[in-house]
Amino acid sequence: IVPIVDESGFRNLALGRRAVREIKASKPALVIFEIDTPGGRIDHMLSMGEDIMSLAPIPTVAYVRPLAQAGNEGGAWSAGAYLALSCKKLFMYPGTVIGAAAPVTQTSEGVRPVEEKYVSAFREKFRARAEQNNYPANLAVAMVDKDLEIFEVVIDGVKRYLTEREMDLLKVAGKVFDWPRIPFDSKDKLLTLSDRQVAETGLGRIAESRIKIYQDAALSAPAEQTIEASWSETLAGFLTSGAISSALLVIGILGIWIELKTPGIGIAGVVGVLAIALMLFGQHLAGLAEIPEILLFILGIALISIELLVLPGTGFFAIAGAACTLAALVLSFQDFTIPDPQKAPWQMDVLLGSLGRVMVSFVGAAVSLALLLKYLPQLPLFGRLVLQTELAGTVPSPAGAPALAGRRGRAVTPLRPSGRIEIDGEFHDVVSDGDFVEAGEPVEVLRVEGLRVVVGRVKR
């Protein structure tokens, strides 16, 4: 028994993947997916549907029943309907519903229907899945496409659900049946079926408890094993939620940036690395951020560090590092690398959403840094802990400033080998000529190479 409860997000995605592995290893007599969900992301839905289908020849049953909260009637809405149709048989608890699966997108104006190309791809996914598992295909499609009009027709003693064109073709082929006057599901209306309608249409059956399901499978008092969400899958759901993952990303970017610009503080860097690591850990638990994405992120940070601490002014390492870091973070939010607009048009929306989340996090980190520079030094506690001149005065030395050559000042941050110096009240980003220089030591500008200002310790 595998409960799919609430939105089909990363928690259910991780739970489903683990459940499938355990089921394939143990090979039970029957698998029941108990479903009570309003749906979720299309890519999650499709991935979970494929996982369920991969269990064949182990028999699978979808049991739509109230699970999420007391008093809730329960249902398999939207993506939940697809998960139910991915099982070989469907059972409905009294009072539950299934359907209303039109894909939508979140915009600045609220939830809106997606373009026709998305509906078309989604519609065919539902049709194919219904046909694979011997469900009435048009009923499944009508849950997705509000423009599909279907009629209930009895042909050779069997109820069928057909479009007007399909009925025309049957008439031409010589089939005799009464032409229905009223559509079973009219246009401009998504199909949603109650438990009773599911039974009447032959899509599934009603079950007040699992006992009826076991009787249908010819099982007598079977031993039940429920695969509940583990602590790691629950944690994955929490860490991958939009607000938490974005907050961790903002904190991570901010902390790492401060550490790279003010070497020697340590605390900001540790907090930043831990925040990013926690965010990537959550994505890893959800099956998204795998080893390649994590290594790509580490490579990006290493390249940026080389640019800032070893070879400032070159530009190449900074650009390459930023590209690697951005790519790693974007890929950690999705389960594909390159979108396929033809077979999976929704992947482009997922990619844009991942990119948007990362860019918003960078903007959030920049705003947080500005506020930090303005207000943090004024607080009594942090004013004593943070060297204010390390965070203030971030203006780099002007390109080609020969007037700096030969002038003397003092290091306001450690030069290891890059850092910041102060000359006559002005701050400059510099790099030492080989030796590490501690904060407070006197230095002399040896030469200016474009944007690169080289200094050395003043010999006493």
Side-chain angles (χ1 to χ4, degrees), residues 47-69:
S47 179
M48 294 174 69
E50 291 303 316
D51 287 341
I52 294 173
M53 291 293 292
S54 72
L55 292 175
I58 301 173
T60 56
V61 169
Y63 187 21
V64 180
R65 58 174 299 184
L67 294 170
Q69 53 185 304

Side-chain angles (χ1 to χ4, degrees), residues 126-357:
F126 265 69
R127 181 182 296 279
R129 187 50 41 89
E131 291 174 346
Q132 283 177 302
N133 290 332
N134 297 316
Y135 294 117
N138 282 334
L139 291 180
V141 175
M143 296 178 183
V144 177
D145 188 354
K146 64 181 179 60
D147 293 327
L148 183 69
E149 187 174 61
I150 57 175
F151 298 83
E152 183 180 84
V153 184
V154 178
I155 301 177
D156 298 331
V158 178
K159 282 185 181 180
R160 298 179 63 179
Y161 296 88
L162 307 173
T163 64
E164 187 172 355
R165 181 175 180 276
E166 290 170 336
M167 291 191 296
D168 283 334
L169 292 175
L170 288 174
K171 281 287 187 181
V172 172
K175 287 290 183 181
V176 178
F177 57 89
D178 293 330
W179 193 280
R181 297 180 180 180
I182 302 174
F184 178 81
D185 183 62
S186 58
K187 289 184 177 181
D188 299 321
K189 175 187 173 185
L190 288 174
L191 180 63
T192 301
L193 298 176
S194 67
D195 60 304
R196 179 182 55 80
Q197 291 173 312
V198 166
E200 290 175 352
T201 57
L203 191 65
R205 297 168 63 185
I206 299 174
E208 293 79 7
S209 69
R210 296 187 196 125
I211 294 176
K212 189 167 185 177
I213 299 175
Y214 296 146
Q215 291 173 346
D216 178 76
L219 298 176
S220 177
E224 297 179 331
Q225 178 188 351
T226 301
I227 303 179
E228 300 279 4
S230 66
W231 69 267
S232 61
E233 289 150 2
T234 302
L235 180 62
F238 174 73
L239 293 178
T240 54
S241 63
I244 298 300
S245 61
S246 296
L248 289 173
L249 192 53
V250 169
I251 294 171
I253 295 170
L254 179 62
I256 293 174
W257 194 92
I258 291 175
E259 181 63 25
L260 291 175
K261 293 298 291 181
T262 60
I265 292 180
I267 298 176
V270 170
V271 172
V273 169
L274 287 177
I276 293 289
L278 195 57
M279 189 274 293
L280 291 176
F281 178 63
Q283 304 298 105
H284 178 70
L285 290 176
L288 300 180
E290 301 294 349
I291 298 301
E293 288 84 2
I294 295 173
L295 292 179
L296 186 62
F297 178 81
I298 293 174
L299 175 62
I301 294 298
L303 291 173
I304 294 174
S305 300
I306 291 174
E307 174 74 25
L308 294 176
L309 303 178
V310 181
L311 298 171
T314 59
F316 168 77
F317 293 102
I319 294 174
C324 290
T325 303
L326 180 63
L329 293 175
V330 170
L331 291 175
S332 72
F333 287 110
Q334 57 197 40
D335 58 359
F336 59 89
T337 302
I338 301 175
D340 187 343
Q342 299 300 321
K343 295 183 179 179
W346 52 84
Q347 287 185 348
M348 185 58 68
D349 277 354
V350 174
L351 174 61
L352 293 176
S354 302
L355 182 61
R357 180 183 294 189

Side-chain angles (χ1 to χ4, degrees), residues 331-402:
L331 291 175
S332 72
F333 287 110
Q334 57 197 40
D335 58 359
F336 59 89
T337 302
I338 301 175
D340 187 343
Q342 299 300 321
K343 295 183 179 179
W346 52 84
Q347 287 185 348
M348 185 58 68
D349 277 354
V350 174
L351 174 61
L352 293 176
S354 302
L355 182 61
R357 180 183 294 189
V358 173
M359 298 309 296
V360 167
S361 296
F362 272 95
V363 172
V367 172
S368 300
L369 179 64
L371 296 174
L372 189 68
L373 295 176
K374 183 175 181 180
Y375 295 110
L376 186 60
Q378 300 175 13
L379 300 178
L381 175 62
F382 291 99
R384 292 192 297 270
L385 294 177
V386 179
L387 179 61
Q388 297 181 22
T389 53
E390 290 189 20
L391 291 175
T394 57
V395 180
S397 301

Side-chain angles (χ1 to χ4, degrees), residues 1 16 35 43 54 64 77 87 96 103 157 195 199 242 254 289 359 391 404 450 459:
I1 300 165
I35 300 173
D43 53 335
S54 72
V64 180
W77 303 89
C87 297
T96 57
D195 60 304
L254 179 62
M359 298 309 296
L391 291 175
L404 288 176
K459 300 189 183 299

